[in-house]
Amino acid sequence: MPPAPPPSAPPPTPTTALVLTGGGARAAYQVGVLRAIRVLRREAGAVQSGNPFPILCGTSAGAINASALAAGSDHFDSAVRRLTRVWSHIHAERVYRADGWSAVRAGTRWVSLLSLGWALTQWRQVRPRSLLDNAPLGQLLRTHVPLERIPQMLAAGHLRGLSVAASSYARGEHVTFYQSNAAAAPWSRAQRRAVPTQISVEHLLASSAIPFIFPAQQIDAEGRSGWYGDGSMRQVAPISPAIHLGADRILVIGAGRANEPPDAAPPSAPAYPSLAQVAGHSLSSIFLDTLSADIERTQRINHTLSLIPPAARTHSSLRPIELLVISPSERLDSLAAQYVADLPPSVRALLGVLGVQPGDARSGALASYLLFEPGYTRALMQLGWEDTFRQQAEVCQFFGWPDPARPTRATLAPRATPCAPSP
């Protein structure tokens, strides 16, 4: 009688990546989602399974959140608690200079340049670099994001890879800076490329340098120095770095509503858009539009691969990617408009010149990126918390966790109550 065949080995656990998009203060929404995932993970008894996101990819403010998680990847729960504390108590002056003199000086320089630019072209010292000075953000990052721990996390196996996106002003291309413990070769595509390096505070400042709002950051890369801005610019494939770093399944946390429906029909004679509306619309185009397109592209590739026999698929480098997207269920423009009055008076006055008014959802888009105040960030965290539990079954299925039959206590959090910091 032939011997019984050996038992088949269980299938390997898929490598999971987390992709965090940009959006300035909107990134607080991501922390609310992460808090909910932390609770679901604990309820499912999966805490001992290690870091749920061995691959972390971030852009702009999402790069800051991703780097904080990477630095604390040996204890996911603690890393999320630290992010919660920072975002729950943040104020604008911890991100950019919000005192009256700084705001007035920046505004005056812009007005002078626009009105007398023909006479000032040789006066380099009066050329403003940005509307706001984000020097305080550098200190915040050095205090709360211990990037020096990342090599240790990679060596210990808690982390497989971290990527941070930026945009090169000199070369006009999108650059992905990454650290990895695997032999992930740099990749290059049309107008975008990847550069292996050790992620620093300068990379995070560059990735989050919202155009015109915050100054560009100088970075030394591949033996040359250059100026870099927000990673959301020219980012045509935000999901791509996670795939190149080896992800089999990807959780994407967006900063805008997916497939957002248009507003109600405007009045027959709508008012001319203010500068705030134009600026907000432009920033939304930079931060939000490419993600939806890349998600659709990934889903189309998955569908195409499902039609190809497995044997034929072995001759292709393409592979199916399991994808889960969590994005705001409400318009963040309207939410931000409710908190414009929380901005420091000098910043509120500066934005008021552009047309930002408290309670005006039409001008709320611009404010939604700059409202680093606890009222707004806690409301965003609460929304992320609720949206995740609305997708509880999908989240548990994505991770392979048992879906609790009873309602999780987190689902009972009232909408009106801001998300309090975790203990």
Side-chain angles (χ1 to χ4, degrees), residues 74-233:
D74 54 340
H75 201 296
F76 175 74
D77 286 9
S78 296
V80 173
R81 282 195 293 267
R82 285 192 294 270
L83 276 173
T84 301
R85 283 194 294 269
V86 172
W87 280 100
S88 295
H89 299 95
I90 200 164
H91 290 279
E93 57 264 25
R94 300 187 70 189
V95 179
Y96 51 83
R97 298 195 189 282
D99 59 281
W101 170 242
S102 296
V104 169
R105 182 173 57 182
T108 300
R109 285 186 173 182
W110 276 102
V111 171
S112 299
L113 185 65
L114 292 173
S115 60
L116 300 174
W118 59 272
L120 301 176
T121 53
Q122 303 304 317
W123 295 3
R124 297 180 62 87
Q125 67 272 21
V126 302
R127 293 181 183 178
R129 292 191 170 190
S130 60
L131 183 64
L132 297 170
D133 179 3
N134 66 344
L137 177 60
Q139 182 58 44
L140 181 69
L141 295 177
R142 292 180 178 90
T143 302
H144 293 285
V145 185
L147 296 173
E148 66 278 2
R149 297 190 80 237
I150 290 178
Q152 176 188 344
M153 297 298 99
L154 290 167
H158 300 299
L159 182 67
R160 178 166 175 173
L162 166 68
S163 75
V164 169
S167 183
S168 170
Y169 283 115
R171 302 181 63 164
E173 62 184 4
H174 182 268
V175 181
T176 299
F177 297 102
Y178 71 96
Q179 280 183 261
S180 173
N181 67 355
W187 59 93
S188 179
R189 300 292 185 270
Q191 294 300 310
R192 56 188 175 99
R193 63 193 177 93
V195 177
T197 189
Q198 183 166 335
I199 304 300
S200 67
V201 168
E202 286 69 31
H203 291 96
L204 300 186
L205 289 173
S207 183
S208 57
I210 302 174
F212 299 108
I213 306 295
F214 296 141
Q217 179 69 41
Q218 193 169 18
I219 293 177
D220 293 327
E222 299 179 306
R224 70 178 69 179
S225 181
W227 293 95
Y228 291 80
D230 200 291
S232 296
M233 295 187 291

